[in-house]
Amino acid sequence: MLVVLATLAATFTALFDVQTIPLETAHARTFLAHGHSESAPDIFILDGHALQVYSGVQKAEGRQVELREGTSAIDIADVDADGQGELIAIDGDRVLLYELFGQETDYSPKELFRLATQLAEPVSRPYLHVMVVPREEALVLALPREETLELHTLQGEMVAEYPIGGDASRGRSYGVQLLALTRHPPRIGPSDALEVHVHGHLEFEPGLTADILHIPTSPHIPTSPHIPTSPHIPTSPMYRRGIPTQAGDAADLDYAHWPWFPLTTDGDTHKRVLYATTGPSYTDTLIRVWESQSGRQAIDGNDVTMHAKRRYPGLPVIPSDDLPDFNADGYVDLVLWKAPDPGTSVDSLTRALLGGTWPVHVTAHLFSPEKGCYAPQPVGHITCAIPVTWFFDTFNDTPLRNVVLRDFNGDGRTDLGFNTEADRFSIWLCGDEGFASKSDYTQSFPERIENVEFCADLHGDGRSTLALRGAKALYVLRPAPRGE
C-alpha cells in the first residue's frame, strides 16, 4: 500500500515544473514570440525599457536587454533569416535593430535608417507594435507616416505606400456598446464612494491589400502576424459570446439574437451552438444546435437545420479563446457550473458568509453528432469550495476565476483548470471516464493570482505551458520532462 501511495504522489507532482520570474512593476507585459529558434516561441517580458527573454522550452535563466530611453514601438521577427529573432525598435526618427541571440553579450543597437513616422511620438514606456510584415516572399517594415503607410526594406528603400489619412477608405471591423457596471464595495475609492466601471471595445481595419493584411481570428499568442501558425500555436475563431445579462435576455428573443459558439474545434461557423439562460431563477441553460450550408447569419432558410431545444442544469462557462473537446472527437463540448442554494434563512446565509467558502459544481457534457445534442449525463462531476465573495463579482461571467481549458498532459483531450483559492490553482485531467471529483494537480503560490498570462504548447508535443501572474512574479508551469 505504501508503494502504491508513493507512486501516486510522484505522478501527482510530476505534471509541472514551476518557474518563478520576478516582475519589477505592474506595467510589465508578457508576450510570446520566436526568439532562439523558429520551432518554439520564447517568453518575453517588457517592463519599461527593460526587455527580458526566457526560453520557452526549458527552465533557465533569462537575458535582459536595455532599450534606449527614447524607444517607442518595438517588434520581434527573424528579419535576416538566420533562424533567430531580432528586435526592431523605433527611437525618434531612427529605426534600430537589436541582435538578441548572438554570441555577443553587447546588445547595442544598429541603426537601419532614419524616417519620421507617427511611431516617433514620445511615450513613457515602449510598447508592442506590428512593424514587420511579409511581402512577396520577403519581410519589410510597415511604418505609418502622416498620410500613408509605407513599406520599407531593412535598408530603408520604400517599396510601397497605402493611404491612411482622413480620405482613405477605412471600415470599422466591429464594435460593441459600452458596458457600465457599478462596483460595491468600491475598490478604488473610499467605502462610501460610488464606483462605476465602463468597458468598451472598438476595432478598425485599415484598407490594405491582401498581400500584407493578415489578421488572425483570435490568437492565443499575442504577437506579430509574420510569426507562422503551427500546430503548437493554435488560433481559435471569433464568435458571439454573450455576457450573463445578454444570455438571460436571449431566451425571450428570436434565435438569431442568441449568443453562440462554434460546434467544431476547427472553428467552422456553419455549425453553431446557440445558448441562453432561463428562469425562473436563471440557473439552467437552453441549448439549440444550428447548422447552415451557406453559413448565413439568418436563422431561417431552406439550408438551415435547427435541432431540438434542450435544457441543462447549470450556467455556461464560455471562455474567450478556448474551445473544449474532452473526448478529442473534433466537437466542442459543453461546460456548466452551478452552486447549491444556501436558502433564505438568516442562519444559513450567516453560515455561508462566515465560512468564507461555498461549494461550486462543474460538469462537462459531450456532444453526440449522431443525436445532434449534448448528452444529458455529464462526464464526471467536479465539486470544490471557492471563496464565497467570488459569487458576487459582477465583472466575471462565472464565480470561477482564471478558467483554462487546454490539454496539459498531451493525450489530445481538453483538461480543466481554475483558481480554488486566491493563491491556489487546481487542474483536473480528462481521462477515458471523464473527470475525477478530486483535482489531479494543485499548486499554491506566495501571493494572489491575478490572471492567466498565456497558455500554449511551447514544446510542440501537445502539452500546454501555463503562465499565471501575480503582483510580484510570473509563475510559469512548464510540463515536467517525460519519464520523471
Side-chain angles (χ1 to χ4, degrees):
M1 179 63 71
L2 291 178
V3 175
V4 174
L5 290 178
T7 302
L8 290 175
T11 302
F12 181 81
T13 57
L15 187 61
F16 292 107
D17 185 10
V18 182
Q19 180 181 14
T20 301
I21 301 176
L23 298 176
E24 296 297 328
T25 72
H27 300 295
R29 177 175 180 180
T30 302
F31 62 97
L32 301 177
H34 289 298
H36 288 89
S37 70
E38 295 181 350
S39 60
D42 288 326
I43 303 171
F44 291 77
I45 300 177
L46 178 62
D47 192 355
H49 290 81
L51 179 67
Q52 301 177 63
V53 188
Y54 292 85
S55 171
V57 297
Q58 60 183 345
K59 182 179 178 181
E61 289 191 11
R63 61 180 67 192
Q64 180 167 313
V65 179
E66 289 293 334
L67 305 177
R68 293 174 58 89
E69 190 65 29
T71 303
S72 53
I74 68 169
D75 194 9
I76 295 174
D78 181 11
V79 295
D80 57 5
D82 64 350
Q84 298 178 331
E86 288 78 37
L87 171 68
I88 300 296
I90 301 298
D91 178 9
D93 62 351
R94 303 174 67 194
V95 180
L96 306 177
L97 181 146
Y98 291 77
E99 292 283 357
L100 300 177
F101 304 102
Q103 298 296 326
E104 303 293 334
T105 57
D106 180 13
Y107 299 115
S108 299
K110 168 188 175 183
E111 181 177 316
L112 297 178
F113 57 89
R114 297 196 176 198
L115 184 71
T117 69
Q118 294 186 32
L119 302 178
E121 294 293 331
V123 293
S124 59
R125 65 182 67 91
Y127 58 90
L128 289 173
H129 181 83
V130 175
M131 291 180 283
V132 184
V133 297
R135 176 181 170 82
E136 297 179 355
E137 306 301 326
L139 295 179
V140 296
L141 302 182
L143 302 173
R145 306 200 72 186
E146 190 68 28
E147 296 291 333
T148 58
L149 177 72
E150 295 183 358
L151 302 186
H152 287 256
T153 66
L154 296 183
Q155 293 73 36
E157 178 187 357
M158 188 178 73
V159 295
E161 61 178 343
Y162 305 91
I164 60 173
D167 296 333
S169 62
R170 184 180 69 174
R172 190 175 68 186
S173 58
Y174 72 92
V176 297
Q177 60 184 1
L178 291 177
L179 174 66
L181 297 173
T182 58
R183 165 70 71 177
H184 183 77
R187 289 184 176 180
I188 301 176
S191 59
D192 59 347
L194 175 62
E195 185 172 321
V196 179
H197 290 242
V198 180
H199 298 263
H201 184 70
L202 194 64
E203 286 193 0
F204 291 91
E205 177 181 322
L208 306 179
T209 59
D211 59 338
I212 67 168
L213 182 61
H214 175 78
I215 301 177
T217 51
S218 179
H220 290 295
I221 297 179
T223 186
S224 302
H226 47 72
I227 293 180
T229 300
S230 66
H232 60 281
I233 308 180
T235 59
S236 56
M238 305 289 274
Y239 52 90
R240 188 167 66 203
R241 178 175 179 263
I243 62 175
T245 303
Q246 292 172 325
D249 295 339
D252 298 325
L253 302 175
D254 185 271
Y255 294 117
H257 303 290
W258 284 29
W260 58 272
F261 55 88
L263 178 60
T264 55
T265 55
D266 61 5
D268 182 5
T269 57
H270 289 69
K271 298 180 180 181
R272 305 175 183 179
V273 179
L274 314 181
Y275 65 94
T277 57
T278 185
S281 56
Y282 290 93
T283 56
D284 292 343
T285 298
L286 299 177
I287 295 290
R288 194 157 193 184
V289 176
W290 171 89
E291 299 183 41
S292 171
Q293 296 298 321
S294 64
R296 291 180 298 132
Q297 295 288 341
I299 290 297
D300 55 356
N302 296 329
D303 68 336
V304 171
T305 300
M306 289 287 291
H307 294 267
K309 179 173 61 179
R310 296 179 182 270
R311 184 170 183 152
Y312 298 85
L315 298 175
V317 178
I318 310 294
S320 58
D321 291 319
D322 303 320
L323 298 174
D325 181 6
F326 300 114
N327 57 349
D329 65 348
Y331 287 92
V332 178
D333 298 316
L334 180 65
V335 184
L336 302 171
W337 73 270
K338 60 182 177 180
D341 189 346
T344 57
S345 68
V346 175
D347 289 341
S348 61
L349 293 174
T350 301
R351 285 196 301 271
L353 293 175
L354 293 180
T357 62
W358 192 252
V360 63
H361 306 303
V362 181
T363 58
H365 299 257
L366 301 180
F367 183 77
S368 172
E370 295 79 14
K371 298 180 180 180
C373 65
Y374 289 100
Q377 296 300 320
V379 287
H381 194 115
I382 297 172
T383 300
C384 62
I386 61 175
V388 68
T389 55
W390 292 359
F391 289 92
F392 306 107
D393 189 350
T394 57
F395 281 86
N396 290 285
D397 294 355
T398 76
L400 305 179
R401 295 286 181 87
N402 299 320
V403 176
V404 178
L405 289 161
R406 199 67 65 83
D407 183 5
F408 290 110
N409 58 357
D411 64 354
R413 302 174 184 270
T414 300
D415 305 312
L416 171 64
F418 56 84
N419 273 89
T420 49
E421 294 182 15
D423 58 354
R424 180 178 296 176
F425 194 88
S426 297
I427 290 176
W428 287 260
L429 301 177
C430 187
D432 294 338
E433 303 300 324
F435 291 99
S437 59
K438 184 178 180 181
S439 64
D440 296 277
Y441 177 87
T442 295
Q443 178 70 46
S444 296
F445 301 93
E447 60 176 332
R448 179 173 66 91
I449 296 302
E450 297 180 348
N451 59 273
V452 177
E453 284 290 86
F454 66 83
C455 186
D457 177 9
L458 303 186
H459 291 258
D461 62 359
R463 299 182 298 166
S464 295
T465 297
L466 174 65
L468 303 173
R469 179 168 182 156
K472 299 180 179 179
L474 180 72
Y475 304 97
V476 183
L477 280 62
R478 301 174 180 273
R482 300 279 192 182
E484 290 193 1

